[in-house]
Amino acid sequence: MEKIKILAIVGSLRKDSYNRQLALTAKELIGDRAVFNLLEYQDIPLMNQDIEFPTPEAIKRVREEVKSSDGIWFFTPEYNHFFPGVLKNLIDWLSRPINDKEPQVLAGKPAAISGITPAMAGTSLAQDHLVTLISFLNMNVMNVPRLTIPNAMQQLDRDGKLALTASYPYLEKQANAFLGFVTKQRKE
Ligand code: FNR
């Protein structure tokens, strides 16, 4: 059987994003148990129905990456108690049917959600909003466990990189649960 394909979608475009670092830690942790890629989408345009058709090349690319994955793992920051606009823009593009025959690519896909913040609330409000959106789009959300990591600054190494000392076991638990969740759905 082919390896499971996990696609990580990070809700921050920042080069040193803690959420991106969290996604890379998850990739390392999963190792060869799955193919794990990060979706690069900084080049996609803002949703504007005037440019929806013909489909922009960058949109074709991100849709194809989502379509060919077995599960989507979101790593999202919280901006003003919501998830960032760049992520909403990406999901708006992904939510549109490809053509008359093919439905949107998110429907039915297993989804996991994690988030890290330097603040105290751990991105839980952003995650709740994201659950509302992706449930509307009929993704298959793994609600337990979700991972909310507050106080990111307490888990950095001397160079300011995410060491994830305290939260690593929780990330591991979520990764194992998501691999099981995706595998089960692929069999059904
Ligand atoms: C933030 N930040 C933030 N943090 C939080 O926990 N709750 C919030 O509501 C907000 N609001 C907010 C709004 C805007 C516009 C910005 C730019 C930032 C802080 C945010 O968590 C912090 O910058 C993170 O480091 C962003 O995630 P990445 O880029 O490190 O992944």
Side-chain angles (χ1 to χ4, degrees):
M1 202 184 206
E2 260 189 55
K3 273 188 191 170
I4 285 172
K5 284 190 197 151
I6 304 288
L7 185 65
I9 298 185
V10 178
S12 170
L13 302 183
R14 198 167 75 84
K15 183 167 50 69
D16 295 325
S17 157
Y18 296 126
N19 285 280
R20 187 177 180 87
Q21 292 184 58
L22 186 65
L24 291 171
T25 307
K27 178 182 170 73
E28 204 179 295
L29 189 159
I30 285 177
D32 64 4
R33 289 182 289 163
V35 175
F36 188 112
N37 292 316
L38 265 70
L39 183 71
E40 303 297 346
Y41 65 93
Q42 55 273 33
D43 57 337
I44 69 168
L46 288 175
M47 165 49 81
N48 171 349
Q49 287 184 271
D50 291 340
I51 60 161
E52 195 176 358
F53 301 106
T55 310
E57 285 305 315
I59 300 300
K60 281 190 198 161
R61 195 196 71 242
V62 293
R63 279 192 185 141
E64 200 42 54
E65 284 197 58
V66 170
K67 197 174 153 185
S68 65
S69 71
D70 299 304
I72 308 289
W73 192 343
F74 293 97
F75 295 84
T76 187
E78 183 167 287
Y79 283 2
N80 298 313
H81 288 186
F82 216 86
F83 55 86
V86 291
L87 182 55
K88 177 66 163 56
N89 182 56
L90 170 68
I91 294 175
D92 285 341
W93 276 109
L94 294 173
S95 73
R96 302 288 279 176
I98 299 174
N99 53 42
D100 293 346
K101 289 173 205 80
E102 289 190 82
Q104 52 99 342
V105 289
L106 294 171
K109 290 273 177 208
I113 306 179
S114 304
I116 182 166
T117 169
M120 276 170 59
T123 73
S124 51
L125 286 163
Q127 293 194 20
D128 287 347
H129 291 301
L130 185 58
V131 168
T132 302
L133 172 60
I134 64 179
S135 302
F136 170 68
L137 294 171
N138 206 21
M139 292 191 84
N140 186 7
V141 185
M142 185 182 78
N143 276 305
V144 182
R146 265 159 57 184
L147 182 59
T148 52
I149 306 180
N151 304 318
M153 301 315 185
Q154 293 175 10
Q155 299 199 58
L156 305 184
D157 65 16
R158 285 185 182 182
D159 301 324
K161 297 280 174 222
L162 190 65
L164 207 69
T165 35
S167 300
Y168 192 86
Y170 297 97
L171 182 68
E172 199 165 25
K173 216 170 163 182
Q174 193 186 25
N176 292 341
F178 194 46
L179 289 179
F181 190 79
V182 174
T183 307
K184 185 165 176 273
Q185 185 162 330
R186 203 163 65 164
K187 280 186 192 147
E188 281 167 0

